[in-house]
Amino acid sequence: MGNLVSLPIIGRAGYAFDNAMLNLLLPMHVQLDQEGRIIHVGPTFAKLLAFEPVVAGKHLFDYIHFSYPPNILTNHSLVAHFGMPLTAQIKAQGGFDLKAVAVAGNAGILVNFAFGTSLKEAVSHWHLNSKDFSAADPTVEMLYVIEVQSVLLEASRSLNDRLNGQREEAEEKAYTDPLTGLPNRRALNRYVKRLHCQRVPTDFAVFLIDLDHFKLVNDTLGHAAGDQVLQKVAEILLNETRPTDIVARTGGDEFVLVLEDAEDISPLEAIAKRIIRKIEHPVLWEGQNCYVGASIGIVCAHTKDNRSIDFHLQSADEALYNSKNNGRGTFRFVG
Amino acid sequence: MHGMINRGLQSYICDVHGVDVWEETCEQAKLPFCDFEYMLTYDDSTTEDLLNSFGALTHRKRDEILEDFGTYMVSDNALNVMRRLLKFGGSSYVEFLHSLNFVYDRAKMAVPDLDIPTMELVENNPTQFVLYTRFRKRGFGPTLLGLLRALANDYNMLVSITHSRRILKHVDEDIFTINLLRKKGCANNTPELVRD
């Protein structure tokens, strides 16, 4: 190591710091002569240059590149930056940013280096331990914090992922009718709100569907039969709609469809007829046929009207009432 | 007990005995879950229940389990953070022992609610050290015994450690007398203590 000349540095108060003292106080320092040639290297800094055969008298700039401020390329410019915060890298070991500060010593220049944000990587790269740092240096404490923080950050990330999964699951449950798997009333509200938030305004139709004679099935064949009917109806309604539409179960035997881009009446009529025909088809339950029918009230609306789903359902309910009064098993439009 | 410690116990049982044994341990301990969170604090009784059910399952005594756990904590590839931080204490076993004086404060700075014993090292002579530890949780001394032995091995130091326990009013005091025999691989019997 370049420990050939031992020049005491005399501080202003007259204290002499010899190299042994400086090694203890500043284990990552380098002493240069007036021309910038290396006179002495602190023990930890010597470790960083271990792959380089450091010879006293060589120039610091052969090993170190100052990246900030720019253009510190000569001893002269280093002198001009005395006392300022510098950033440097070891040329042979790119990637590790060192912090540095240079001061004038009576014998020449003293540059002290430190690991900044590269501390954790540097410690593992050079197998450093607490003895490589000054006893009065908070590096060890910093390492505890860094290590623990990375463990906790990882743990917190995985915890958040799991909580998020559970939240989505709970939300899914809160928006779903457990019997049919269809969206419920709450989901319907959310769907219609989103529909109104769309950038492009759209026509849409609301079908309010009420089953006919459902109570009879429930009363004569039991709730299990009724449940089977409801599941079958759900299946029929899903088959009659597009993925962008919504089919919701909003009450015991009440279903709501919202169909987007519904400009013309005739396709809506066709859908309503098909739904009624299919629902009238008996559902087999334990060897018995369950007969139900469907009455439908239909509202055509536009997102520009900015009405709530409750408003539309009220209108649809009037049309539904008309259907029921017209002998059931049919549909009516509002207005 | 802090989640980190319970989680460490979980890693130990899973790594050494397998996930099946871990799940059985949790079931026997009547835990409603099988994964400890690093950042939660659990009832001390939870840890005790775990140690009891694991002991019953594997027919091992609590002290034996804890000592093995201490060894595991600083073994390679396990809880690497623990090992890295403790080994950062110095380049020799003696330096490591001296650094134990600071571990409590450093760990508390990083994780304020961590359960960790206070430690004080007394050097009787260059080959004999006595480590006094005090811990509010009772009966965990063997963990430290396992840890001290494992790290001696790690630093290639042949040691003999005797452990005694004093039950004080509020804390357990564990006393470890550590005799350095010699550095491994050295034929002569004189201790070769590297102090740099």
Side-chain angles (χ1 to χ4, degrees), chain B residues 105-170:
Chain B
D105 285 336
R106 286 169 180 163
K108 280 285 186 187
M109 181 190 62
V111 189
D113 51 351
L114 187 66
D115 315 276
I116 182 172
T118 56
M119 292 179 255
E120 196 188 333
L121 187 81
V122 173
E123 180 172 341
N124 285 350
N125 63 58
T127 61
Q128 191 183 66
F129 298 82
V130 184
L131 180 69
Y132 297 88
T133 71
R134 289 183 169 203
F135 197 25
R136 295 171 67 94
K137 318 279 174 177
R138 305 238 177 230
F140 284 89
T143 314
L144 212 56
L145 182 63
L147 188 149
L148 290 170
R149 284 195 172 135
L151 276 173
N153 195 40
D154 209 290
Y155 280 108
N156 272 325
M157 181 63 76
L158 213 60
V159 297
S160 84
I161 305 177
T162 54
H163 168 219
S164 62
R165 174 188 180 193
R166 287 175 63 208
I167 298 170
L168 306 180
K169 195 174 174 194
H170 297 293

Side-chain angles (χ1 to χ4, degrees), chain A residues 96 117-127 143:
Chain A
F96 291 100
T117 50
S118 62
L119 175 65
K120 191 181 169 189
E121 287 74 24
V123 163
S124 91
H125 185 81
W126 281 289
H127 305 290
L143 270 178

Side-chain angles (χ1 to χ4, degrees), chain B residues 42-77:
Chain B
Y42 298 84
D43 266 0
D44 286 353
S45 61
T46 305
T47 312
E48 293 304 326
D49 290 349
L50 271 181
L51 288 171
N52 286 336
S53 67
F54 180 63
L57 266 175
T58 52
H59 308 292
R60 286 164 70 197
K61 292 198 186 77
R62 178 194 157 96
D63 283 4
E64 211 178 302
I65 296 167
L66 287 178
E67 188 179 337
D68 204 28
F69 174 49
T71 306
Y72 169 83
M73 270 204 278
V74 290
S75 66
D76 223 348
N77 301 324

Side-chain angles (χ1 to χ4, degrees), chain B residues 1-127:
Chain B
M1 198 72 98
H2 198 276
M4 283 197 167
I5 293 167
N6 287 305
R7 185 66 184 222
L9 212 51
Q10 176 183 342
S11 303
Y12 160 64
I13 295 177
C14 283
D15 280 4
V16 178
H17 296 266
V19 179
D20 292 348
V21 174
W22 169 247
E23 284 175 352
E24 186 62 26
T25 301
C26 292
E27 200 173 315
Q28 303 267 322
K30 298 196 167 45
L31 282 191
F33 54 84
C34 270
D35 274 318
F36 282 96
E37 300 294 347
Y38 285 101
M39 282 174 289
L40 294 181
T41 299
Y42 298 84
D43 266 0
D44 286 353
S45 61
T46 305
T47 312
E48 293 304 326
D49 290 349
L50 271 181
L51 288 171
N52 286 336
S53 67
F54 180 63
L57 266 175
T58 52
H59 308 292
R60 286 164 70 197
K61 292 198 186 77
R62 178 194 157 96
D63 283 4
E64 211 178 302
I65 296 167
L66 287 178
E67 188 179 337
D68 204 28
F69 174 49
T71 306
Y72 169 83
M73 270 204 278
V74 290
S75 66
D76 223 348
N77 301 324
L79 306 166
N80 258 316
V81 177
M82 276 282 291
R83 182 186 146 84
R84 267 207 300 279
L85 288 176
L86 287 173
K87 287 212 67 173
F88 190 74
S91 55
S92 71
Y93 191 60
V94 173
E95 282 178 6
F96 155 73
L97 288 177
H98 281 289
S99 76
L100 288 175
N101 286 314
F102 309 106
V103 164
Y104 177 86
D105 285 336
R106 286 169 180 163
K108 280 285 186 187
M109 181 190 62
V111 189
D113 51 351
L114 187 66
D115 315 276
I116 182 172
T118 56
M119 292 179 255
E120 196 188 333
L121 187 81
V122 173
E123 180 172 341
N124 285 350
N125 63 58
T127 61

Side-chain angles (χ1 to χ4, degrees), chain A residues 45-227:
Chain A
F45 202 70
K47 278 193 179 180
L48 309 194
L49 301 178
F51 297 110
E52 304 267 327
V54 179
V55 178
K58 273 203 163 184
H59 213 281
L60 178 68
F61 292 94
D62 294 341
Y63 304 106
I64 297 294
H65 164 71
F66 287 93
S67 52
Y68 188 85
N71 302 321
I72 302 183
L73 300 170
T74 62
N75 197 43
H76 185 70
S77 52
L78 188 59
V79 170
H81 288 90
F82 273 173
M84 292 178 175
L86 312 173
T87 306
Q89 280 123 17
I90 300 164
K91 282 184 176 175
Q93 311 275 331
F96 291 100
D97 271 345
L98 300 172
K99 304 198 299 177
V101 61
V103 293
N106 281 354
I109 300 171
L110 188 149
V111 191
N112 191 35
F113 291 90
F115 298 112
T117 50
S118 62
L119 175 65
K120 191 181 169 189
E121 287 74 24
V123 163
S124 91
H125 185 81
W126 281 289
H127 305 290
L128 303 176
N129 63 58
S130 58
K131 295 286 161 170
D132 291 312
F133 298 91
S134 156
D137 181 302
T139 301
V140 191
E141 284 72 22
M142 225 179 112
L143 270 178
Y144 268 70
V145 173
I146 293 171
E147 292 278 11
V148 168
Q149 188 224 22
S150 61
V151 169
L152 292 188
L153 216 60
E154 188 49 49
S156 133
R157 201 171 292 133
S158 101
L159 181 64
N160 282 338
D161 282 352
R162 267 178 292 132
L163 290 180
N164 202 33
Q166 284 167 8
R167 187 182 58 79
E168 279 173 8
E169 205 176 292
E171 201 163 83
E172 188 66 33
K173 270 187 196 154
Y175 283 92
T176 308
D177 164 42
L179 175 66
T180 58
L182 291 179
N184 59 16
R185 178 66 177 243
R186 192 184 291 139
L188 178 68
N189 283 339
R190 188 176 59 173
Y191 175 88
V192 173
K193 267 185 199 143
R194 282 185 188 163
L195 194 65
H196 280 92
C197 291
Q198 277 180 9
R199 199 124 38 100
V200 187
T202 175
D203 292 293
F204 64 96
V206 179
F207 282 42
L208 178 62
I209 304 168
D210 193 82
L211 298 186
D212 304 326
H213 317 301
F214 179 71
K215 195 171 177 298
L216 192 66
V217 172
N218 254 352
D219 290 349
T220 54
L221 298 172
H223 286 284
D227 286 352

